[in-house]
Amino acid sequence: TGSDSNVIVRNRIGVALNGSALPNGMDGIRISQGPVGTAIGGSPAEANIIANNGGNGVFLMSDNCRETFISCNSFYDNGGLAIDLFPYGVTPNEAGDADDGPNGGLNFPVLTSVTYDAMSGAHQVEGTLEVPQPADAVVQLYLAAVDVSGFGEGRIFLASITPDAAGHWSTSVTGQPVDGYFTALTIDAERNTSEFSRARNISGLASVIVESPAIPLLSVYPNPTSGYLVVQGADIHRAALFNCLG
């Protein structure tokens, strides 16, 4: 549609009332003909569930689609990307965010570091954002339902973070699985929203989670292992995670 200021909140798109899949054959939401100011979700209370669709979760088809605000929604099991800014597929970040396109071709964040403290149960997540005025933008962090592209999909909204003037950002979240994935998106001052970032393995970015003093009784699991392993002492609240893949 070409009408402006559309609002799409509290819907199940591709999902039946009982939670089972009820997919659209193509995109869950497709926006064309250049509307400005569409809002899809907003706060957690306004979030949509957009899942199981044959195409993208949300697809912005026209360069004239601007200020499309996509926030706090739950995306999973879509055939394409969770959010796709035309052209089809992942739109790579541009140096200085100089490209154009739907939502200005807004750059997505880059997750650079994830560490886990087994004593507090907190993940510390850090990243960068390359846009002209990063301190005026917001990074939203999600627990990911990993797409085959490796980017997104953001299934559970976790936090909103404001980067500093250099584009660096960090946050701490608790209660997340140690074998899951994080992803993030950008929302700028005009409420343009980016595609989701590359999903990053929660445990794979940390070589050691918590340093523990030498303890006579140790357990290693899984045993045998071929990837990530946990070394745990007699004090079950202290553990270290090692990446055997290098």
Side-chain angles (χ1 to χ4, degrees), residues 106-166:
L106 185 64
N107 280 355
F108 50 75
V110 175
L111 280 66
T112 58
S113 174
V114 177
T115 55
Y116 176 66
D117 185 333
M119 294 187 69
S120 67
H123 286 88
Q124 183 71 22
V125 187
E126 300 179 1
T128 60
L129 176 63
E130 187 175 0
V131 297
Q133 296 177 311
D136 292 335
V138 171
V139 170
Q140 288 193 343
L141 183 70
Y142 292 74
L143 191 67
V146 181
D147 182 79
V148 294
S149 68
F151 288 74
E153 300 180 50
R155 182 162 188 165
I156 300 175
F157 168 74
L158 298 176
S160 291
I161 313 104
T162 301
D164 64 20

Side-chain angles (χ1 to χ4, degrees), residues 78-100:
N78 292 292
L81 301 179
I83 302 170
D84 193 359
L85 309 182
F86 186 84
Y88 291 99
V90 176
T91 302
N93 282 346
E94 286 280 337
D97 200 18
D99 57 341
D100 204 355

Side-chain angles (χ1 to χ4, degrees), residues 75 82-83 108 142 151-154 183-185 194-198:
F75 295 93
I83 302 170
F108 50 75
Y142 292 74
F151 288 74
E153 300 180 50
T183 188
L185 56 72
S194 73
E195 297 178 354
F196 278 103
S197 72
R198 182 179 294 279

Side-chain angles (χ1 to χ4, degrees), residues 37-74:
T38 298
I40 302 172
S43 69
E46 297 169 317
N48 302 284
I49 302 174
I50 305 172
N52 308 307
N53 299 291
N56 301 298
V58 175
F59 185 30
L60 305 190
M61 295 183 64
S62 168
D63 287 357
N64 295 324
C65 295
R66 300 283 180 164
E67 301 172 18
T68 306
F69 177 58
I70 308 170
S71 174
C72 295
N73 302 286
S74 177

